[in-house]
Amino acid sequence: MMKKMSISTSKTSLVLFLCQIISALDVPLDLSQPPTITQQSPKDYIVDPRENIVIQCEAKGKPPPSFSWTRNGTHFDIDKDAQVTMKPNSGTLVVNIMNGGKAEAYEGVYQCTARNERGAAISNNIVIRPSRSPLWTKEKLEPNHVREGDSLVLHCRPPVGLPPPIIFWMDNAFQRLPQSERVSQGLNGDLYFANVQPEDTREDYICYARFNHTQTIQQKQPISVKVFSMDSLNDTIAANLSDTDIYGAKPVTERPPVLLTPTGSTSTKVELRGNVLLLECIAAGLPTPVIRWIKEGGELPANRTFFENFKKTLKIIDVSEADSGNYKCIARNTLGSVHHVISVTVKAAPYWITAPRNLVLSPGEDGTLICRANGNPKPSISWLANGVPIAIAPEDPSRKVDGDTIIFSHVQERSSAVYQCNASNEYGYLLANAFVNVLAEPPRILTPANKLYQVIADSPALLDCAYFGSPKPEIEWFKGVKGSILRGNEYVFHDNGTLEIPVAQKDSAGTYTCVARNELGKIQNEVQLEIKDPTMIIKQPEYKVIQRYGQVSFECIIKHDSTLLPTVVWLKDNDELPDDERFLVGKDNLTIMNVTDKDDGTYTCIVNTTLDSVSASAVLTVVARPNPPFDLELTGQLERSIELSWIPGDENNSPITSFVIEYEDALHEPGVWHYQTEVPGTQTTAQLKLSPYVNYSFRVIAVNKIGRSQPSEPSEQYLTKSASPDENPANVQGIGSEPDNLVITWEPLKGFQSNGPGLQYKVSWRQKDVDDEWTSVIVANVSKYIVSGTPTFVPYEVKVQALNDLGYAPEPSEVIGHSGEDLPMVAPGNVQVHVINSTLAKVHWDPVPLKTVRGHLQGYKVYYWKVQSLSRRSRRHVEKKILTFKGNKTFGMLPGLEPYSSYKLNVRVVNGKGEGPASPDKVFKTPEGVPSSPSFLKITNPTLDSLTLEWGSPTHPNGVLTSYTLKFQPINNTHELGPLVEIRIPANESSLILKNLNYSTRYKFYFNAQTSVGSGSQITEEAVTIMDEVQPLYPRIRNVTTAAAETYANISWEYEGPDHANFYVEYGVAGSKEDWKKEIVNGSRSFFVLKGLTPGTAYKVRVGAEGLSGFRSSEDVFETGPAMASRQVDIATQGWFIGLMCAVALLILILLIVCFIRRNKGGKYPVKEKEDAHADPEIQPMKEDDGTFGEYSDAEDHKPLKKGSRTPSDRTVKKEDSDDSLVDYGEGVNGQFNEDGSFIGQYSGKKEKEPAEGNESSEAPSPVNAMNSFV
């Protein structure tokens, strides 16, 4: 079974493989080999004196090596020291300090030797030193008395420890002392003050030394600092100072920079290669100097240079010889500058150029060991063999030493040994072990057989073939079982046997064979390579801006190889997500509920498989309304202005755009805040204008794109002085409420506008264009004054002036008003009517003299009403309609007239008081128009070749009927129409028998009426002649009837045919070629309401059944009512009507009481008698004439009340018999015309019910209708 190994495409994996390349020729542990040191303690080993000392020395070899130690250059016999033991199968020493041993006794230089029959390896010289943390030397610390502005150095001088301690300054409360450009700690631990300030006075400047090895902290005694200022020097302090100190002291003055450290103008510094270079410059001066660093003749090294301690320390990491040179620090303030040059020399302890490596040779082979090192100064090279200087080591004829190289020729098995190379100079040494192992071994492959490698497509693939053999085997690679040897630029062959495919493709997958051979044999091994699709994030998380307490979601949709199992991890700011239930991790997303400010940050989606890893990040910015401003301060107080300043609150990731300032007047409106002004968001002060006699408090509101902050805390109060008013009342008007008065009104000043106590108003008026003096009166703080006894509707000049206890406001401006209006005196004259067509007329009149209007002319009202229809000579209820024409117009249009009718009209002028008298009634007549459709079309008596047609005359003939036109045509089984036949019928006919028709044929009929003007709307119907006297075909829909209102129509029909039919209604504008509109009827009802119709429009309608192969009824035509006109007066609000209704209610109450008394006495009243005569009305049979239940009516009308309409039993499409419409009983609003006389309003008017005639039915009004008739 194959072993599975994953190769990541990351750089880390490649580095690991390169490390394998370097160590690939290690000798397997089952073969003889000299010792190799695998682990040892550091050269400079500082130990904790309280714990056991462990000196490590581990080695490998075959046979396993034995160990020995030297101490300070001589053999260390551990058997003679009971405190020292060596670990089994190891060279590691353990010195038992915790059982009585002392670490100081074991200080020294230790070296370990590991030895077997093939050689000896040695460790570095390990210097053992116990750490030390000595106590602070006791010293007497005098208080530091310093003058303000002078420099100061507080010395720490920590005890010398091993290793050196970490220094820091704290106070008695164990709080670190704050440091800045002015106050900072030097590299030596001292605390430097560039200049002292009064706030530096304290008695607890404490220097602490922390010794990390012993985990102890030593504390210096507190240092006291007292900073003196000459201005505040008191007698007590003066008594402790000398006369010279007192009188020689001067006020604080500024000083140019002076370097506190280092001293002088130049210094030197030596640092070793690879270490961190630290250079320091600390300066005194007032103002505090600023430090700048430069390198003379060069640039500071990029990416390795850092500034610390407020730029007082220059830090260069990983220094090299190239960093040697002169470094200049410059301290500068406003009074001058000072500089210091530090000459830096970089030395170097030895470092490897080529370290010697283990050498495996077969008998008779040649080889070399090379040891090359560098340093400053240049190190010396010395060789040892098995831990002994090579000069005194046993002779070996196969080796030759040539400086830093040992050359081996024709080696034999006895040539095996361990050689040490030592490179040293004054700054240190390097020691390396390298063995020569002489073996004769056939090839062996150390990589497991059939090892499985998996890599991501387009990534490097490294196939391992770890081998060993002596002589060194040659390695070849093949692909496939019988593949050819791999060569070419697409492959890289490493010395350790690894095959690298730099860019592995899908076709790179397969079996690879590694073959190793030398003169002693040959071996091969197979490995498997699989190529996987890369993992990708196909929808990455996106940058989000979300308001606080909102919800946000980041998407992370991935695509991956189907054989790999991905894991998705979300991080916040490169750390784990908070342990919070608000964070919901889904399959493809991360959702954060109820977002808070802490959720702000970078969210990363990391997708890991065993082979690769991808990630994508997005930033979440949480925004919110700003925090309220704080620390409001009032400055610059004047009588009419003040300056307000504040500190902005947190803007919550959305910049503040503005600040709104509000004020409260605690004197006039306590608790009420008013808008004062608004300033840009970059401004934190505002100059505010003030009014007199106001007790101000201010608050500030911050505004950003999210919204407004909470208001700040109010500022302190500021009361301004009183003054006379600055302004007068606004919106002054003079309008009479009665014909003999003038009402003067104004908008009173607000409290803060009064400017002082005792606010009043001086009201003045005089008649315009008359040489009169002003009449004035002073009133209290009110908003109205009534002047009585004025002429009717004359102009007045009016003004209102504010005043208070301190004086008057400026002179007010004058406004023109009028005394009260009265009703107009005369009616318009010379009323003329010009009839334009059968539905439109134009009316003219002469304007009335303006003096007779006695008020503001608002316009004219035209009252008009239909007297009678000329076609039927019948009277009907009178509906007066009103049209209003604004302004001084002298004509108007009357739309919506009925053709061939007689009308009357009159005109009245209107002012603000009401209407004037009406002009004499003017009579006019409208010409004929086209008629409406016939009221019904009924087809009866079908035979084999004939049909009988019956019809009713149009409901609205709109003139004298001249004839009827009948058109019909056959319809075949595919619903195609045949030839059209037209017949003209005299107007006095009401039926017709069509003969010579085809048997068993469906016909469609079109029927309309004509006047002298033209043809009206048509009505349609379909009928079928019979075959062999068979009954008419089923199913069928007949007797489609309509009842239309202004914007809707009730459609009903009769259906004969199968049960459970689903009906639909189709309709459209009559005469239009547009497609029929279709409405589905819910269930199997036989009625439907069409809504959303246009008033005053003729519509066609038909009914069909779903699933009956296009079966439909005949067409019907109806017309919606005109737009409702408003009535002249809403009598429901009239006093006389309310009184009448109250009287009626009272009479009914009295009647009910009388009836109750009579019933209790056993008497009867008419209703009871009728009940006795008719028995129980609930079981009365239906009347035969109309199918309604018998009901009682009053003495004037014994007809039964109409409960509904009965659908005729024959196939009749019937219109309403009355020429009344639903509109006749409605109500509306007054209509109006535009300036050009076009109609912009609706009709209104009263109804006067007249006796019905013809087929009109008289219906008893319901209480609702009765009420509506009054309204």
Side-chain angles (χ1 to χ4, degrees), residues 14-36:
L14 186 57
V15 170
L16 291 174
F17 269 91
L18 293 179
C19 293
Q20 291 180 3
I21 291 172
I22 295 173
S23 60
L25 294 182
D26 285 350
V27 180
L29 284 177
D30 63 333
L31 297 179
S32 296
Q33 55 185 295
T36 300

Side-chain angles (χ1 to χ4, degrees), residues 1001-1029:
T1001 302
R1002 179 177 292 278
Y1003 286 89
K1004 186 167 187 177
F1005 298 91
Y1006 311 89
F1007 193 70
N1008 60 11
Q1010 288 86 30
T1011 63
S1012 60
V1013 178
S1015 299
S1017 301
Q1018 66 182 13
I1019 186 171
T1020 65
E1021 180 61 282
E1022 293 183 10
V1024 181
T1025 57
I1026 65 175
M1027 178 176 64
D1028 298 331
E1029 299 298 334

Side-chain angles (χ1 to χ4, degrees), residues 47-59:
V47 298
D48 189 336
R50 300 167 300 180
E51 296 180 356
N52 293 338
I53 302 174
V54 179
I55 309 175
Q56 291 185 330
C57 181
E58 303 291 342

Side-chain angles (χ1 to χ4, degrees), residues 141 172 203-207 219-224:
L141 300 176
N172 275 331
E203 297 180 352
D204 57 349
Y205 285 93
I206 305 175
C207 182
Q219 173 185 337
K220 186 182 179 74
Q221 289 180 336
I223 302 175
S224 175

Side-chain angles (χ1 to χ4, degrees), residues 142 343 555 806 1132 1258:
E142 297 292 337
S343 179
E555 288 188 294
L806 282 82
S1258 176

Side-chain angles (χ1 to χ4, degrees), residues 63 217 234 577 601 617 636 848 914 1006 1009 1047 1056:
I217 296 178
N234 56 44
L577 291 178
S617 299
V848 300
Y1006 311 89
T1047 59
E1056 296 178 3

Side-chain angles (χ1 to χ4, degrees), residues 762-773:
K762 180 182 178 182
V763 184
S764 304
W765 68 92
R766 68 180 178 184
Q767 191 171 336
K768 191 176 183 297
D769 300 330
V770 177
D771 192 13
D772 283 348
E773 295 294 330

